[in-house]
Amino acid sequence: MRLEYLEYFEAAARARSISGAALVLGRNRSTISMAISALEDELGVDLFVRRGNSLSLSPVGEHILDDCARIVALSKGIAERCARGAETGSRELRIGRDDVLPEDFWRHVIREIRRARPELRLSMRYAESDVLPELVREGQLDIAYFVASGRSGPAAGLYSRVVTRIGMKMMVAGNHPLHSMSYVADEDLAALPQITYLDSTQRERFHLDAMGSERIALSSFELGKDAICDGLGWGYVPEPLLSEEDYAQLGQINHGLGEVWYPYFVCSREPLAGSANAAGPLPLEAHGIILTRMREAGIVSE
């Protein structure tokens, strides 16, 4: 039983036609038709019920389709692992990150890393920015990305660098009077609760200490942004988290500290300089992929 016959059978079953399978696989229609006929002869059964140019699975064909798909997928996995070498089969990459960058950004990163290195065991962990450097130093993470306020920065003994600077914008609900004011003083802010970021030690960060207003402390920037959208107060929101939809609901406050900038760090136990290729350290290779995505998203300038 030839493996490619099973692949052709599966493709024809999914496409419900020989021509559809030929298009998906990039093969000649006659090649696929002859292979399926040969497979049916070898098994002694009809795998399809043929009606003109359309195909539908016979009861036997439907029964074995999933098994054929498993065999094809397993064979491809074996080929990929052998092509990349047995020594990479158990390699693992553990990435840590805070929530300054949107989920969609990290979704693209995961996809690109998997495309580049499908053999890796890949994990991604969210944690507060004050915790991430320590997790790298303890060996729980291989590389981490986080914004640092005055109270946090890379832990000692790590390779680290500033990737970019993140703008924190002072925002309020778009329909609030603070948004329409040409100049907002501290006294104006004090009349409305301040939304602050609560770190792992229960300390508030990314806020104005001098404000005497009531505070609402939340453990993620997304929660803070949502609270501001809901009209619960004003606060700082990382610019990368602000979508077009958010700008339709929120407005920036015209205060002297209406936008402040913080360094966005990467840290690892491995050097973060050199050529980011398959032969180099995994954190460096991943960092190259993440930097490319940051440039595409406009987070890092060329």
Side-chain angles (χ1 to χ4, degrees):
M1 187 183 304
R2 297 177 60 175
L3 183 62
E4 62 264 33
Y5 288 1
L6 299 181
E7 184 178 8
Y8 296 166
F9 160 65
E10 183 197 0
R14 306 296 184 195
R16 295 183 175 272
S17 71
I18 297 296
S19 58
L23 183 63
V24 170
L25 297 174
R27 297 288 189 272
N28 186 282
R29 289 179 57 185
S30 60
T31 299
I32 293 177
S33 180
M34 291 173 61
I36 292 175
S37 295
L39 179 62
E40 290 177 318
D41 289 342
E42 183 177 353
L43 296 175
V45 296
D46 289 330
L47 297 176
F48 291 105
V49 176
R50 294 164 172 82
R51 296 185 180 89
N53 292 327
S54 68
L55 300 176
S56 60
L57 285 168
S58 69
V60 174
E62 189 171 347
H63 185 67
I64 69 168
L65 177 60
D66 286 347
D67 287 334
C68 291
R70 292 186 184 98
I71 293 171
V72 171
L74 181 61
S75 68
K76 290 181 177 179
I78 291 172
E80 288 177 356
R81 285 192 292 270
C82 291
R84 294 180 180 275
E87 74 280 359
T88 64
S90 61
R91 299 189 73 184
E92 181 177 13
L93 177 63
R94 300 163 299 176
I95 301 173
R97 51 89 177 183
D98 61 12
D99 64 338
V100 164
L101 303 184
E103 296 297 321
D104 188 61
F105 172 86
W106 293 111
R107 174 188 175 187
H108 282 278
V109 165
I110 292 170
R111 185 172 63 198
E112 291 306 312
I113 292 176
R114 286 295 298 170
R115 283 177 177 172
R117 300 296 295 270
E119 83 285 358
L120 288 180
R121 292 178 56 196
L122 176 64
S123 63
M124 183 172 287
R125 176 175 177 179
Y126 162 77
E128 291 87 351
S129 56
D130 58 306
V131 172
L132 286 166
E134 196 63 30
L135 294 177
V136 174
R137 188 166 65 175
E138 292 172 356
Q140 297 186 45
L141 295 172
D142 299 307
I143 192 169
Y145 295 82
F146 57 94
V147 68
S149 69
R151 295 195 181 100
S152 67
L158 297 177
Y159 294 94
S160 62
R161 62 173 56 182
V162 175
V163 179
T164 187
R165 295 190 180 275
I166 298 294
M168 295 281 187
K169 291 191 172 186
M170 185 186 291
M171 308 296 284
V172 71
N175 58 1
H176 193 276
L178 281 178
H179 173 47
S180 60
M181 295 171 63
S182 59
Y183 174 75
V184 176
D186 290 353
E187 294 78 12
D188 300 316
L189 293 177
L192 189 67
Q194 181 178 181
I195 310 297
T196 65
Y197 180 89
L198 194 66
D199 71 12
S200 65
T201 64
Q202 303 302 301
R203 290 186 296 186
E204 294 175 74
R205 299 168 53 204
F206 306 104
H207 66 288
L208 297 183
D209 285 322
M211 297 298 101
S213 60
E214 176 190 354
R215 293 180 180 175
I216 301 175
L218 301 171
S219 61
S220 79
F221 288 115
E222 282 283 357
L223 286 174
K225 182 183 72 174
D226 291 343
I228 297 170
C229 284
D230 292 338
L232 301 182
W234 62 270
Y236 284 104
V237 180
E239 187 172 9
L241 287 185
L242 292 167
S243 65
E244 291 184 8
E245 182 180 349
D246 293 326
Y247 278 116
Q249 301 180 65
L250 297 173
Q252 188 170 355
I253 296 175
N254 294 313
H255 184 272
L257 295 173
E259 185 168 12
V260 292
W261 296 84
Y262 292 90
Y264 191 73
F265 279 96
V266 57
C267 67
S268 173
R269 296 185 309 280
E270 301 276 358
L272 293 169
S275 176
N277 54 51
L282 280 177
L284 177 59
E285 185 182 352
H287 183 55
I289 293 173
I290 292 170
L291 271 182
T292 298
R293 180 59 191 161
M294 284 183 173
R295 294 188 185 100
E296 292 171 350
I299 298 168
V300 173
S301 58
E302 295 292 342

